[in-house]
């Protein structure tokens, strides 16, 4: 089916460039973009939420992290 669309010039240029780079027609590029959007059915992946656990414990050892030997000493104590 033929239809006429009014597109922003910059978007149209980018779409043409991308279609050419992918070796497909502009029509195919637009169809694929629409298909991808429409098949999504509006479902978005839920935003990632990092849940941090809080634990009770002793204060961390005071160690100079630039001192490799001091770090090894702390790690070997455990």
């Amino acid at each position: 089916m033929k239809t006429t669309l009014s597109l922003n010039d910059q978007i149209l240029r980018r779409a043409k460039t991308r279609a050419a780079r992918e070796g497909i027609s502009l029509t195919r590029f637009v169809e694929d973009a629409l298909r991808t959007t429409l098949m999504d059915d509006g479902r978005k992946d839920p935003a990632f939420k990092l849940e941090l656990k809080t634990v009770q414990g002793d204060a961390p050892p005071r160690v100079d992290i630039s001192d490799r030997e001091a770090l090894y000493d702390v790690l070997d104590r455990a």
Side-chain angles (χ1 to χ4, degrees):
M1 171 188 295
K2 279 191 157 203
T3 192
T4 302
L5 297 172
S6 296
L7 300 174
N8 173 284
D9 290 342
Q10 184 179 6
I11 291 173
L12 180 59
R13 276 193 301 274
R14 290 180 68 185
K16 285 181 177 181
T17 301
R18 181 91 167 262
R21 189 178 330 132
E22 294 180 15
I24 60 176
S25 67
L26 179 61
T27 299
R28 173 73 186 271
F29 179 81
V30 172
E31 284 178 348
D32 289 349
L34 286 171
R35 187 175 296 108
T36 299
T37 300
L38 294 173
M39 294 301 166
D40 182 24
D41 288 336
R43 289 177 279 164
K44 298 274 183 184
D45 292 335
F48 176 77
K49 183 177 178 184
L50 177 63
E51 294 184 25
L52 301 175
K53 287 187 174 183
T54 303
V55 296
Q56 298 296 324
D58 297 328
R62 296 186 187 276
V63 63
D64 179 4
I65 61 170
S66 64
D67 182 354
R68 182 184 304 196
E69 289 304 318
L71 283 173
Y72 286 148
D73 289 342
V74 169
L75 292 173
D76 288 341
R77 276 189 244 154

